[in-house]
Amino acid sequence: MELRQLAVVVAVAEEGGFTAAAQRLRTVQSTVSTVVRALERDLGTPLFHRTTHRVVLTPAGEAFVPAARAALEAAERARASVSPVDGRVRLGVCPGLLADLHRVLARLRHTHPGLEVEVSQVRPEEVECGLRESLVDVALFLAPGDSTAGPVITPLAPEELVLATAPGGSCSAPTDLSGLSLVDFPPGWAIRDAVDRAFPCRRVSLEVDDLAVAAGLVRAGLAAGVLPASAAARFPELTVRRFDRPVPWQLAAGHRAEAGPAVAAVLAQLG
């Protein structure tokens, strides 16, 4: 199985047909058909249902295409990690999402000094439009709870949410947060959205738009806060209390299907 075969199958699936895939890959339809048939023979199962008017994935194809896409992205990231990359990438970040963004940018500058990264803030509801209209090349956001059409979504390393409290006390978090005074962030912030999903009945006593301010309120004993573990780790004086049932904090990077080496280099550092 070759990367070229994977790229052809992904193109057919994303374009919805052999002719459109051939145009995207700058080849002829007969070549695309030959590559797909050869791979199907090797796999021992068809990947597409072919009809007069359209091409749709078989159940085997539904399982194969996400894995093929992931393999292509991994290969691109591996190539980018050893090859000089230059150009410009416009990175859109949802509010309150990445506490260590400065480290990511520093690693990128060290690894690819010729790569320019422009960072802007995008709200969650603006992500798909921003990618579709090429306002940003990569967008970082809270992973959706279900699959979505549109941009290619690459999950980043998973974390969990923890309860940060004033120094001292237990290291386990209560299951019910309704009795606690909590500090939280404005609606539209990634942390707020994640905590809203996990604890819809909690009581928000204080609302701020700065992570350091929130940590100061927690440190003073004025409130507790639910934070990603990596964000809470920035404030070692706080007590981090973990939930018995881990509450996921899953970020994702969205980009268009035709991402090039510069985008792959950014994804390699984010992942």
Side-chain angles (χ1 to χ4, degrees), residues 237-248:
E237 69 277 14
L238 302 180
T239 295
V240 173
R241 305 169 65 179
R242 285 183 160 76
F243 298 97
D244 289 338
R245 295 185 61 183
V247 181

Side-chain angles (χ1 to χ4, degrees), residues 20-154:
Q23 292 172 348
R24 169 171 147 181
L25 297 169
R26 298 178 182 176
T27 186
V28 296
Q29 179 181 343
S30 59
T31 298
V32 172
S33 298
T34 299
V35 170
V36 171
R37 283 198 299 269
L39 181 57
E40 289 176 327
R41 283 197 301 271
D42 289 345
L43 295 173
T45 185
L47 299 175
F48 298 98
H49 289 302
R50 300 158 174 82
T51 67
T52 304
H53 301 291
R54 61 178 184 154
V55 173
V56 296
L57 289 166
T58 64
E62 293 280 3
F64 183 84
V65 167
R69 188 182 290 122
L72 291 169
E73 292 172 359
E76 193 60 50
R77 288 196 292 270
R79 185 180 298 112
S81 69
V82 298
S83 303
V85 176
D86 56 16
R88 181 184 64 153
V89 173
R90 295 160 300 173
L91 175 62
V93 182
C94 290
L97 187 140
L98 203 58
D100 60 350
L101 179 60
H102 60 290
R103 294 190 179 91
V104 172
L105 297 178
R107 290 197 302 267
L108 274 168
R109 177 171 293 183
H110 175 75
T111 306
H112 303 290
L115 179 62
E116 178 185 358
V117 180
E118 296 180 358
V119 180
S120 62
Q121 181 172 286
V122 295
R123 297 185 66 82
E125 65 272 16
E126 299 169 342
V127 167
E128 186 170 345
C129 178
L131 290 168
R132 185 176 62 249
E133 298 184 5
S134 297
L135 301 177
V136 294
D137 301 305
V138 180
L140 298 181
F141 54 97
L142 184 66
D146 51 10
S147 60
T148 180
V152 178
I153 296 177
T154 301

